[in-house]
Amino acid sequence: GPLPHLSGVEVRHLLTHTSGLPPIPRWPVEGTHPIRRDMVRAVLTTPTLRPAGTGYTYSDTGYILLGEIIAHVSGQPLEAGFQAGVAGPLGRKTLGFHLDSLNEAWRTAPLQLGNSCLTASTRRMAVSQIPAAVGAQSYGWFCAGNDYLPQGDLFSDQSFGHSGFTGTVLLIDPVFDLSLVLLTNRVVNQDEDGSRFLRLRRLWLNVVASALL
């Protein structure tokens, strides 16, 4: 039926985390064994925090909704679309994700969408697509000025990329023609809040920059 709370939300808002949707959906109650339809309904009925385009909140909810849109438009499951549109053209036949559990699949859905913006031009990715008063975000990527982008102190203000909950980072600096990837798993240390690791990541970026620039 009609979803008036989403009436002003467009795909560009979902891509730039300005949809007004909260970080996490209002999931069904634990232990109720929801099916996929229940999970989709939970995402679609999660209330917004504010009108679309008026604020910035990193939203897994928005990217889960994007996954549903992609699946609906393409007429195939998201994982099949990823293989056909991303992994296949890149020649990466072993690149993908496993949907072994419904709950796990939905809770990690934003990770499944991370590469969907690789076809955009570098210029479009590097330049924020939202007003400066709202934030610094291009279509799928953090831009300079966004606190989620760990760019260290030495890379240019045209850097863009993405960071991950487990400490990973992808940083691209078109000025210096550099791309950096750091793969980590900080959540192994479950008793830590991550602050020590975040400082270490910043130092790593500065060390790499000082060696290359």
Side-chain angles (χ1 to χ4, degrees):
L3 300 169
H5 67 296
L6 297 177
S7 61
V9 177
E10 301 177 5
V11 169
R12 62 187 176 92
H13 294 130
L14 299 174
L15 284 168
T16 56
H17 299 289
T18 57
S19 65
L21 288 166
I24 303 296
R26 188 171 58 183
W27 293 117
V29 177
E30 292 287 346
T32 56
H33 305 292
I35 60 175
R36 180 186 179 89
R37 181 179 58 198
D38 298 325
M39 307 296 274
V40 173
R41 183 183 296 113
V43 172
L44 292 175
T45 58
T46 296
T48 55
L49 303 174
R50 65 179 73 87
T54 62
Y56 181 90
T57 298
Y58 186 87
S59 177
D60 289 351
T61 311
Y63 266 69
I64 293 171
L65 182 54
L66 270 174
E68 279 302 298
I69 293 174
I70 291 173
H72 179 76
V73 172
S74 66
Q76 57 186 337
L78 180 59
E79 58 271 25
F82 175 81
Q83 290 296 328
V86 179
L90 289 175
R92 306 291 295 180
K93 295 182 179 179
T94 59
L95 180 64
F97 47 87
H98 299 284
L99 303 183
D100 296 327
S101 125
L102 179 62
N103 285 336
E104 184 62 21
W106 277 90
R107 294 184 189 281
T108 60
L111 299 179
Q112 300 166 13
L113 282 171
N115 287 330
S116 63
C117 298
L118 288 176
T119 55
S121 68
T122 301
R123 182 179 298 276
R124 178 66 63 87
M125 290 189 291
V127 178
S128 179
Q129 301 298 315
I130 60 178
V134 175
Q137 175 80 37
S138 66
Y139 295 135
W141 301 92
F142 304 139
C143 299
N146 189 320
D147 290 339
Y148 286 112
L149 177 66
Q151 66 183 116
D153 303 297
L154 302 176
F155 290 104
S156 77
D157 60 5
Q158 294 186 40
S159 300
F160 63 96
H162 210 286
S163 56
F165 178 74
T166 60
T168 58
V169 63
L170 166 62
L171 182 69
I172 302 171
D173 192 330
V175 172
F176 298 112
D177 193 26
L178 285 174
S179 299
L180 301 177
V181 176
L182 176 64
L183 302 178
T184 63
N185 189 7
R186 71 167 182 82
V187 294
V188 169
N189 302 315
Q190 297 182 5
D191 296 332
E192 293 193 41
D193 62 3
S195 57
R196 183 174 67 91
F197 179 84
L198 295 179
R199 178 177 180 275
L200 179 63
R201 185 170 65 181
R202 187 180 190 88
L203 291 174
W204 178 81
L205 287 165
N206 286 341
V207 168
V208 173
S210 64
L212 297 178
L213 303 184

